[in-house]
Amino acid sequence: MNGQHTSIPISDDPKTPLLAAGDPQFPRSGSFRSTVNSNFTLKNLYVVLGPVLCAAVCSFMKLEGLSTGSRNMLGVLVWVFMWWLTEAVPMPITSMSPLFLFPLFGIAAADEVAHNYMNDVIALVLGSFILALAVEHYNIHKRLALNVTLLFCGEPLNPPLLLLGICATTFFVSMWMHNVATAVMMMPVATGILQRFPAGPSRSVAQTKFCKAVILGVTYATPIGGMSTLTGTGVNLILVGMWKSYFPDADPISFNTWSFFALPMALVIFFVFWVVLCLMYCPKGSGPALSTHLDKTQLRRELHALGPMAFAEKTVVAVFSILIFLWMTKNITDDIPGWGALFDGRAGDGTVSVMMATLLFIIPNKKQEGEKLMDWNKCKKLPWGIILLLGAGFAIADGVNKSGLAEILANALNFLQKAPYLAVAPAVCLTSSLITELVTSNNATTTLVIPILIQIANTMHLHPLSLIIPGAIGAQFAFMLPTATPSNVVGFSTGYIDIPDMIKIGLPLKIVGIAVVSLLMPTLGRFVFGTDKPMQ
């Protein structure tokens, strides 16, 4: 078989053996020169650069107070972040590298590192993702979007009100589902509405602007909604996990606690975002130009095509609702303990998340005999890469703390001791957002900046949450470039918006977000998180 590669089919059947019994015939390699050329690529250079930079740091880095353990930790950080930033090795594989790098460099034992990859926060993510897949499988998100659009459409059509309905639906869905999943599910709903307008030159200016507004609305309502709950985005989960890792004796950040602060913050940012979007893309008098293509009759027809909610859909909604209720009532107040008090603090948010997800594999869907609401084949889309990235973040936070590298960072930041908080908090937010915008993902940014911010807070004699919360939320303010976050890519790929549109909305949104967080943290945050009290 000259010039042809033999492909070995991979079956989804779990009974199929992973390796075939026979010896597969592999094609001969090409010439020596072609082999050399194929290996000397930029990506392969980055692969080698990671360990080379690590070796250089471990061998030659000399700083005051830098011990062997902290120097090795710094070298490993350089290695891991070089691979993360360049994606020389797939991010999920890079996220597993602490499992072998930490033991080999004497930073932590293998069991200690592996523990970070499966804890209550990871369990919370797994359960939430399984529930999100069930929502997607039964088209519950589409039904919700059509109902809200019908509710806000108005007669005659009111474009700002309709835009509010679409954005608010996305905001609400993103509160309970990961940002990427929300964007992927809601964008087809948005483009389905916009496809009713004529294409090309026959589309009016008002219609073109409204199309841009809808896509921008879904794109940015996704991360804004995700900020408001722990399950909305991986960044919040990284923050909670690192807080627990660094301060195991402190009060944990529960689902309820985070929502008390983040939901009002997200609603303020969302309202300003909607106003700016309407001012720029929904001019007065645009209603008549849109109403001929957006009528309630067509929307009702699409909703009717979905049919009434069956037992399966109702049950998934019920399970999701019970989960939200359990999250919010686990710890209520100091005077009114939630149901978590019954278990002496042994049950976490991940406990109920996995428990409710498990019910989906037990309850029949009443569509086919013996078939449950969910089966493992439907879970093939679980984002294991994000889960591994979360584990890597927790492992790195633990390593930075145990190796002594955290103390060295604190000594290097003494100059910030006299800086006022209202100057430092916006700078922290802006720095995190720019790193996400220009360099790496918001999850990786959060993993990088939180250990540093903890040391800055210690240097300034501040409660650590006073800085790490603005830093983590700021990492989600990546609104200006399509490559900043996957949800931005989803919106940009529709073809309705371009980079100037994203900058026109993203820049004021970034400024407003930084201002809101900087003002709410010393006020509402002080009350919710107790940042005015000394650490225990």
Side-chain angles (χ1 to χ4, degrees):
M1 297 176 62
N2 268 338
Q4 294 183 356
H5 293 274
T6 304
S7 61
I8 303 173
I10 300 175
S11 173
D12 288 333
D13 187 350
K15 296 180 180 179
T16 302
L18 181 64
L19 300 176
D23 295 329
Q25 298 295 319
F26 293 99
R28 291 180 178 272
S29 59
S31 66
F32 175 76
R33 178 176 295 180
S34 64
T35 303
V36 170
N37 290 339
S38 65
N39 286 329
F40 279 93
T41 63
L42 189 61
K43 180 165 282 191
N44 286 341
L45 175 64
Y46 290 143
V47 171
V48 176
L49 197 57
V52 167
L53 290 176
C54 175
V57 169
C58 293
S59 302
F60 304 112
M61 178 71 73
K62 296 186 184 296
L63 290 175
E64 185 178 351
L66 195 67
S67 64
T68 302
S70 55
R71 184 166 50 241
N72 288 351
M73 183 64 214
L74 185 59
V76 169
L77 277 179
V78 171
W79 183 340
V80 172
F81 279 103
M82 169 57 65
W83 279 6
W84 264 344
L85 298 178
T86 61
E87 294 190 9
V89 177
M91 185 169 283
I93 302 301
T94 303
S95 298
M96 289 194 292
S97 60
L99 289 167
F100 68 87
L101 290 176
F102 282 22
L104 294 181
F105 281 83
I107 298 168
D111 284 343
E112 294 176 358
V113 184
H115 176 74
N116 292 289
Y117 286 81
M118 181 48 72
N119 53 30
D120 185 62
V121 176
I122 301 292
L124 172 65
V125 176
L126 271 173
S128 301
F129 277 144
I130 291 173
L131 281 158
L133 288 174
V135 169
E136 178 184 0
H137 177 72
Y138 291 106
N139 276 326
I140 295 170
H141 64 289
K142 186 174 181 180
R143 188 184 297 274
L144 175 65
L146 284 171
N147 275 297
V148 173
T149 306
L150 269 171
L151 178 66
F152 285 90
C153 195
E155 288 178 339
L157 179 67
N158 186 335
L161 190 62
L162 175 57
L163 184 61
L164 175 63
I166 296 170
C167 294
T169 303
T170 306
F171 179 98
F172 179 78
V173 172
S174 188
M175 288 174 64
W176 315 110
M177 305 178 72
H178 192 270
N179 286 350
V180 180
T182 301
V184 169
M185 290 193 304
M186 292 303 298
M187 203 59 72
V189 176
T191 54
I193 294 172
L194 301 183
Q195 284 171 359
R196 296 183 173 88
F197 297 122
S202 57
R203 181 182 294 165
S204 67
V205 174
Q207 292 168 352
T208 300
K209 285 190 172 184
F210 185 75
C211 289
K212 290 177 181 290
V214 169
I215 299 302
L216 288 168
V218 172
T219 301
Y220 293 144
T222 296
I224 297 172
M227 298 171 196
S228 60
T229 64
L230 286 185
T231 56
T233 173
V235 169
N236 297 344
L237 294 166
I238 291 174
L239 168 64
V240 171
M242 284 190 164
W243 173 252
K244 188 175 182 180
S245 176
Y246 273 94
F247 306 100
D249 297 327
D251 292 334
I253 303 175
S254 67
F255 184 93
N256 221 19
T257 304
W258 180 263
S259 296
F260 278 145
F261 170 78
L263 183 56
M265 175 202 70
L267 288 173
V268 172
I269 297 173
F270 176 79
F271 177 75
V272 175
F273 162 63
W274 171 69
V275 170
V276 172
L277 203 58
C278 290
L279 289 175
M280 291 188 176
Y281 290 97
C282 289
K284 288 184 178 180
S286 59
L290 305 176
S291 60
T292 55
H293 302 282
L294 279 178
D295 62 291
K296 286 194 169 183
T297 304
Q298 179 64 23
L299 294 171
R300 288 193 186 97
R301 191 178 300 121
E302 287 192 19
L303 188 60
H304 180 72
L306 291 175
M309 287 188 72
F311 172 82
E313 287 90 329
K314 292 178 181 178
T315 306
V316 170
V317 171
V319 169
F320 218 140
S321 302
I322 294 170
L323 175 60
I324 294 169
F325 175 78
L326 291 174
W327 277 336
M328 299 186 70
T329 56
K330 176 173 166 283
N331 297 302
I332 302 175
T333 65
D334 292 336
D335 299 325
I336 308 173
W339 61 264
L342 299 174
F343 301 93
D344 297 326
R346 293 189 300 270
D349 290 329
T351 306
V352 291
S353 181
V354 173
M355 181 179 72
M356 299 310 293
T358 303
L359 288 179
L360 300 179
F361 295 82
I362 298 173
I363 302 172
N365 64 10
K366 292 192 175 179
K367 289 187 175 181
Q368 292 185 8
E369 188 175 352
E371 193 174 90
K372 311 300 182 184
L373 289 172
M374 287 289 285
D375 58 58
W376 190 245
N377 282 331
K378 297 186 181 76
C379 295
K380 289 179 179 178
K381 293 167 64 178
L382 278 172
W384 294 107
I386 293 174
I387 293 168
L388 289 172
L389 182 61
L390 288 172
F394 301 153
I396 287 172
D398 194 42
V400 168
N401 195 25
K402 289 181 177 177
S403 66
L405 184 59
E407 296 179 10
I408 296 168
L409 291 173
N411 294 332
L413 299 168
N414 285 330
F415 68 94
L416 290 171
Q417 188 168 351
K418 296 181 180 180
Y421 176 77
L422 286 179
V424 175
V428 165
C429 251
L430 179 62
T431 302
S432 292
S433 70
L434 290 177
I435 293 174
T436 302
E437 202 89 61
L438 302 171
V439 181
T440 186
S441 70
N442 50 19
N443 290 334
T445 298
T446 307
T447 303
L448 172 66
V449 303
I450 282 183
I452 299 172
L453 293 177
I454 289 174
Q455 303 314 313
I456 295 177
N458 291 336
T459 302
M460 295 179 65
H461 305 291
L462 291 172
H463 193 288
L465 290 177
S466 299
L467 290 187
I468 66 175
I469 287 178
I473 293 175
Q476 302 173 66
F477 290 156
F479 300 130
M480 295 173 62
L481 296 175
T483 55
T485 65
S487 57
N488 287 9
V489 173
V490 173
F492 188 77
S493 64
T494 62
Y496 286 96
I497 58 174
D498 49 31
I499 293 178
D501 292 312
M502 299 187 73
I503 294 175
K504 190 188 299 185
I505 294 294
L507 182 58
L509 186 56
K510 186 188 291 283
I511 294 170
V512 168
I514 291 173
V516 170
V517 174
S518 301
L519 292 174
L520 283 184
M521 196 61 219
T523 52
L524 179 62
R526 181 181 178 182
F527 168 74
V528 172
F529 298 110
T531 54
D532 56 331
K533 301 174 184 176
M535 289 289 296
Q536 296 179 351

Coordinates of all heavy atoms in Angstrom, one line a residue, residues 237-271:
L237 N -14.6 28.5 40.5 CA -14.3 27.3 41.2 C -12.8 27.2 41.5 O -12.5 26.7 42.6 CB -14.7 26.1 40.3 CG -16.2 26.0 40.0 CD1 -16.5 25.0 38.9 CD2 -16.9 25.5 41.3
I238 N -12.0 27.7 40.6 CA -10.5 27.8 40.9 C -10.3 28.7 42.2 O -9.5 28.3 43.1 CB -9.8 28.3 39.7 CG1 -9.8 27.3 38.6 CG2 -8.3 28.7 40.1 CD1 -9.2 27.8 37.3
L239 N -11.0 29.8 42.2 CA -10.9 30.7 43.4 C -11.3 30.0 44.7 O -10.5 30.1 45.7 CB -11.8 31.9 43.1 CG -12.0 32.9 44.4 CD1 -10.7 33.5 44.8 CD2 -13.1 33.9 44.0
V240 N -12.4 29.3 44.7 CA -12.9 28.6 45.9 C -11.9 27.5 46.3 O -11.6 27.4 47.4 CB -14.3 28.0 45.6 CG1 -14.7 27.1 46.8 CG2 -15.3 29.2 45.4
G241 N -11.4 26.8 45.3 CA -10.5 25.7 45.6 C -9.2 26.2 46.1 O -8.6 25.6 47.1
M242 N -8.7 27.3 45.6 CA -7.4 27.8 46.1 C -7.6 28.4 47.5 O -6.7 28.3 48.3 CB -6.9 28.9 45.1 CG -6.3 28.3 43.8 SD -5.4 29.6 42.9 CE -4.4 28.6 41.8
W243 N -8.7 29.1 47.7 CA -9.0 29.6 49.0 C -9.0 28.5 50.1 O -8.4 28.6 51.2 CB -10.3 30.3 49.0 CG -10.8 30.8 50.4 CD1 -11.8 30.3 51.1 CD2 -10.3 31.9 51.2 NE1 -12.0 30.9 52.3 CE2 -11.0 31.9 52.4 CE3 -9.2 32.8 51.0 CZ2 -10.8 32.9 53.3 CZ3 -9.0 33.7 51.9 CH2 -9.8 33.8 53.1
K244 N -9.6 27.4 49.7 CA -9.6 26.3 50.6 C -8.2 25.6 50.8 O -7.9 25.2 51.9 CB -10.6 25.2 50.1 CG -10.9 24.0 51.1 CD -11.9 23.1 50.5 CE -12.3 22.0 51.4 NZ -13.3 21.1 50.9
S245 N -7.4 25.7 49.8 CA -6.1 25.1 49.8 C -5.2 25.9 50.7 O -4.4 25.4 51.5 CB -5.5 24.9 48.4 OG -4.2 24.5 48.4
Y246 N -5.2 27.3 50.5 CA -4.3 28.2 51.2 C -4.8 28.4 52.7 O -4.0 28.5 53.6 CB -4.3 29.5 50.5 CG -3.2 29.6 49.5 CD1 -3.5 29.3 48.1 CD2 -1.9 29.9 49.8 CE1 -2.5 29.4 47.1 CE2 -0.9 30.0 48.8 CZ -1.2 29.7 47.5 OH -0.3 29.8 46.5
F247 N -6.1 28.4 52.9 CA -6.6 28.7 54.2 C -7.7 27.6 54.6 O -8.9 27.9 54.7 CB -7.3 30.1 54.2 CG -6.4 31.2 53.7 CD1 -6.5 31.7 52.4 CD2 -5.4 31.7 54.6 CE1 -5.6 32.7 52.0 CE2 -4.6 32.7 54.1 CZ -4.7 33.2 52.8
P248 N -7.2 26.5 54.9 CA -8.1 25.3 55.2 C -8.9 25.6 56.5 O -10.0 25.0 56.6 CB -7.2 24.1 55.4 CG -5.8 24.7 55.7 CD -5.8 26.0 55.0
D249 N -8.4 26.4 57.4 CA -9.2 26.6 58.6 C -10.2 27.8 58.5 O -10.9 28.0 59.5 CB -8.2 26.9 59.8 CG -7.3 25.7 60.1 OD1 -7.8 24.6 59.9 OD2 -6.1 25.9 60.4
A250 N -10.1 28.6 57.4 CA -11.0 29.7 57.3 C -12.4 29.2 56.8 O -12.5 28.1 56.3 CB -10.5 30.7 56.3
D251 N -13.4 30.0 57.0 CA -14.7 29.7 56.5 C -14.7 29.5 54.9 O -14.2 30.4 54.2 CB -15.7 30.8 56.8 CG -16.0 30.9 58.3 OD1 -15.8 29.8 59.0 OD2 -16.4 32.0 58.8
P252 N -15.2 28.4 54.4 CA -15.2 28.2 53.0 C -16.2 29.2 52.3 O -17.1 29.6 52.9 CB -15.6 26.8 52.8 CG -16.4 26.5 54.0 CD -15.8 27.3 55.1
I253 N -15.9 29.4 51.0 CA -16.8 30.2 50.2 C -17.9 29.3 49.6 O -17.6 28.5 48.7 CB -16.1 31.0 49.1 CG1 -15.0 31.8 49.6 CG2 -17.1 31.8 48.3 CD1 -14.1 32.5 48.5
S254 N -19.1 29.4 50.2 CA -20.2 28.5 49.7 C -20.9 29.1 48.5 O -20.7 30.2 48.1 CB -21.2 28.3 50.9 OG -21.8 29.5 51.2
F255 N -21.7 28.3 47.9 CA -22.5 28.7 46.8 C -23.4 29.9 47.2 O -23.4 30.9 46.5 CB -23.4 27.6 46.4 CG -24.2 27.9 45.1 CD1 -23.8 27.5 43.9 CD2 -25.5 28.5 45.2 CE1 -24.5 27.8 42.7 CE2 -26.2 28.8 44.1 CZ -25.8 28.4 42.9
N256 N -23.9 29.9 48.4 CA -24.8 31.0 48.8 C -24.0 32.2 49.1 O -24.4 33.3 48.7 CB -25.5 30.5 50.2 CG -26.9 30.9 50.2 OD1 -27.5 31.2 49.2 ND2 -27.5 30.9 51.4
T257 N -22.9 32.1 49.8 CA -22.1 33.3 50.1 C -21.6 34.0 48.8 O -21.7 35.2 48.7 CB -20.8 32.9 50.9 OG1 -21.2 32.2 52.0 CG2 -20.0 34.1 51.3
W258 N -21.2 33.2 47.8 CA -20.7 33.8 46.6 C -21.8 34.6 45.9 O -21.7 35.7 45.4 CB -20.1 32.8 45.7 CG -19.6 33.4 44.4 CD1 -20.3 33.4 43.2 CD2 -18.4 34.1 44.2 NE1 -19.5 34.1 42.2 CE2 -18.4 34.5 42.8 CE3 -17.3 34.4 45.0 CZ2 -17.3 35.2 42.3 CZ3 -16.2 35.1 44.4 CH2 -16.2 35.5 43.1
S259 N -23.0 33.9 45.8 CA -24.1 34.5 45.1 C -24.6 35.8 45.8 O -25.0 36.8 45.1 CB -25.3 33.6 45.1 OG -24.9 32.4 44.3
F260 N -24.5 35.9 47.1 CA -24.9 37.2 47.8 C -24.1 38.4 47.3 O -24.6 39.5 47.3 CB -24.7 37.0 49.3 CG -25.9 36.3 50.0 CD1 -25.7 35.4 51.1 CD2 -27.2 36.4 49.5 CE1 -26.7 34.8 51.7 CE2 -28.2 35.8 50.1 CZ -28.0 34.9 51.2
F261 N -22.8 38.1 47.0 CA -22.0 39.2 46.5 C -22.0 39.3 45.0 O -22.2 40.4 44.4 CB -20.5 39.0 47.0 CG -19.6 39.9 46.3 CD1 -19.4 41.2 46.8 CD2 -18.8 39.5 45.2 CE1 -18.6 42.1 46.2 CE2 -17.9 40.4 44.6 CZ -17.8 41.7 45.1
A262 N -21.8 38.2 44.3 CA -21.6 38.2 42.9 C -22.9 38.5 42.1 O -22.8 39.1 41.0 CB -21.0 36.9 42.4
L263 N -24.0 38.0 42.6 CA -25.3 38.3 41.8 C -25.6 39.7 41.7 O -25.9 40.2 40.6 CB -26.4 37.4 42.4 CG -27.7 37.5 41.6 CD1 -27.6 37.1 40.2 CD2 -28.8 36.6 42.3
P264 N -25.6 40.5 42.8 CA -25.9 42.0 42.6 C -24.8 42.6 41.7 O -25.2 43.5 40.9 CB -25.8 42.5 44.1 CG -26.1 41.3 44.9 CD -25.6 40.1 44.2
M265 N -23.6 42.2 41.9 CA -22.5 42.8 41.0 C -22.8 42.5 39.6 O -22.7 43.4 38.7 CB -21.2 42.2 41.5 CG -20.0 42.6 40.6 SD -18.6 41.5 40.7 CE -19.3 40.0 39.8
A266 N -23.1 41.3 39.2 CA -23.4 40.9 37.9 C -24.6 41.6 37.3 O -24.6 42.0 36.1 CB -23.5 39.4 37.7
L267 N -25.6 41.8 38.1 CA -26.8 42.5 37.7 C -26.6 43.9 37.3 O -27.1 44.5 36.3 CB -27.9 42.3 38.7 CG -28.6 41.0 38.9 CD1 -29.5 40.9 40.1 CD2 -29.3 40.5 37.6
V268 N -25.7 44.6 38.1 CA -25.4 46.0 37.9 C -24.6 46.1 36.5 O -24.9 46.9 35.7 CB -24.6 46.6 39.0 CG1 -24.0 47.9 38.6 CG2 -25.4 46.7 40.3
I269 N -23.6 45.2 36.4 CA -22.8 45.2 35.1 C -23.7 44.9 33.9 O -23.6 45.5 32.9 CB -21.7 44.2 35.2 CG1 -20.7 44.6 36.3 CG2 -20.9 44.1 33.9 CD1 -19.6 43.6 36.6
F270 N -24.6 43.9 34.1 CA -25.5 43.5 33.0 C -26.5 44.7 32.6 O -26.7 44.9 31.4 CB -26.4 42.3 33.5 CG -27.4 41.9 32.4 CD1 -27.1 41.1 31.3 CD2 -28.7 42.3 32.6 CE1 -28.0 40.7 30.4 CE2 -29.7 41.9 31.7 CZ -29.3 41.1 30.6
F271 N -27.0 45.4 33.6 CA -27.9 46.5 33.3 C -27.2 47.6 32.5 O -27.7 48.1 31.4 CB -28.5 47.1 34.5 CG -29.4 48.3 34.3 CD1 -30.7 48.1 33.8 CD2 -28.9 49.6 34.6 CE1 -31.5 49.3 33.5 CE2 -29.7 50.7 34.4 CZ -31.0 50.5 33.8

